[in-house]
Amino acid sequence: MVAITSRHDEGGAMAYNGGKAGSGTTQRLINLMPPHRRYVEPFLGAGAILKAKRPAPGLNLGIEADAAVIAEHWGGGDPGATDGAGEAMPQHRTIVHGDGLQHLQERHYGTDTLIYCDPPYLRETRTSTRDLYRYEFTEPDHRALLAAIRDQAAAGALVMLSGYHPKLYARELRDWHLTTFGSITRRGMALEHLWCSFPPPVELHDYRFLGDDYRERERIRKKVRRWTAKLRDMPRLERQALLAALAEVDAEADAAADCDRRAAA
């Protein structure tokens, strides 16, 4: 990891390059996260995902190498997240000043842990060749990161890695599931790539952002509110009957998916 001088926008406020707060980007990433008890984000930056997602019931850890970024975006303490209706959520997050790569190499997580990596992107994939971060990643750093996350995945952790499309990632993660989507950046639209060590989830950790765009998310939220009100007013046994029916539908879907996987194999 190479230390350089950080850059600031005019006016003194640090604009975090590569952040995931762009329209729709945060929601898309959260909609790909399966259930987990521990969440680790070793290259935190401004922490758009950690701030927005529903906290895990166990560990919620953000690691950032640049103390200035922590002071800028987390200096007042963890501001907490809000749910889909804007209600404040519990503050159960730990922000650490440290080396995220070293952490992944030294601390081995197992099942029930989701690790989301958003490191400084390889220079060959950027539209600008200038330094963007105080702590840039060299190509050997990227190779070391790929080795570390493959080890984490082999131990049972769920791993997600953001990037554009470097040949290095495409080669080393060819057996991982790849999702692509458009993302609005400070320089216009970019095609984001997300590598996951797991197949597309059939259950989510956080359903509050479900939907491909704002209109669909609002439609789903309204439907959830309507059904929640109906379920609250429903007699308990009737409500349990509906839950049993839902469980039966899920079991049928799982059985069909297993048949499809065996046929494909």
Side-chain angles (χ1 to χ4, degrees):
M1 186 177 291
V2 179
I4 64 170
T5 301
S6 63
R7 296 177 180 269
H8 294 68
D9 281 355
E10 293 182 4
M14 181 184 291
Y16 197 78
N17 289 283
K20 294 300 181 283
S23 177
T25 301
T26 300
Q27 294 89 339
R28 281 185 176 272
L29 290 169
I30 293 175
N31 286 342
L32 291 169
M33 293 182 171
H36 52 274
R37 292 191 57 80
R38 295 178 293 182
Y39 178 75
V40 180
E41 199 168 329
F43 308 100
L44 183 62
I49 303 301
L50 183 62
K51 292 173 182 175
K53 72 181 288 292
R54 186 178 299 281
L59 176 70
N60 294 279
L61 175 63
I63 304 170
E64 172 54 46
D66 191 344
V69 171
I70 294 177
E72 177 74 18
H73 297 284
W74 302 89
D78 179 5
T82 59
D83 65 14
E87 296 295 328
M89 295 178 63
Q91 299 179 14
H92 298 306
R93 300 171 180 83
T94 301
I95 310 303
V96 174
H97 175 216
D99 187 329
L101 174 56
Q102 182 179 355
H103 181 86
L104 292 177
Q105 292 170 325
E106 296 178 352
R107 171 69 187 272
H108 299 290
Y109 293 96
T111 56
D112 293 335
T113 300
L114 176 64
I115 302 171
Y116 171 57
C117 297
D118 185 24
Y121 289 1
L122 273 162
R123 290 180 185 271
E124 68 184 60
T125 68
R126 299 181 189 175
T127 56
S128 172
T129 58
R130 70 181 178 90
D131 291 327
L132 300 177
Y133 309 99
R134 186 183 299 274
Y135 295 95
E136 284 283 1
F137 249 40
T138 63
E139 184 167 328
D141 289 329
H142 281 278
R143 293 183 181 277
L145 173 61
L146 290 170
I149 63 174
R150 289 193 71 92
D151 287 345
Q152 294 285 353
L158 303 164
V159 184
M160 302 170 67
L161 173 66
S162 281
Y164 287 147
H165 196 259
K167 295 178 181 178
L168 175 63
Y169 284 17
R171 181 175 65 252
E172 296 298 324
L173 300 178
R174 59 185 177 276
D175 55 336
W176 286 29
H177 184 267
L178 174 62
T179 299
T180 60
F181 56 90
S183 177
I184 299 176
T185 73
R186 296 171 63 200
R187 296 175 179 83
M189 287 295 296
L191 185 63
E192 285 278 351
H193 291 65
L194 181 74
W195 287 265
C196 296
S197 65
F198 50 88
V202 294
E203 294 181 67
L204 298 181
H205 176 76
D206 188 347
Y207 291 96
R208 295 170 302 131
F209 303 106
L210 191 61
D212 289 334
D213 53 32
Y214 176 79
R215 180 172 295 180
E216 186 174 4
R217 287 192 290 274
E218 282 299 300
R219 179 186 62 79
I220 294 172
R221 285 183 187 134
K222 290 178 181 178
K223 180 184 288 187
V224 169
R225 287 195 292 267
R226 287 197 305 270
W227 274 100
T228 299
K230 291 179 180 179
L231 289 168
R232 286 199 180 105
D233 293 338
M234 193 176 294
R236 185 180 183 88
L237 288 178
E238 186 176 343
R239 186 165 63 242
Q240 293 296 333
L242 287 177
L243 291 175
L246 288 172
E248 184 177 344
V249 170
D250 285 343
E252 292 172 354
D254 290 342
D258 287 340
C259 288
D260 289 343
R261 281 193 292 268
R262 286 195 295 270

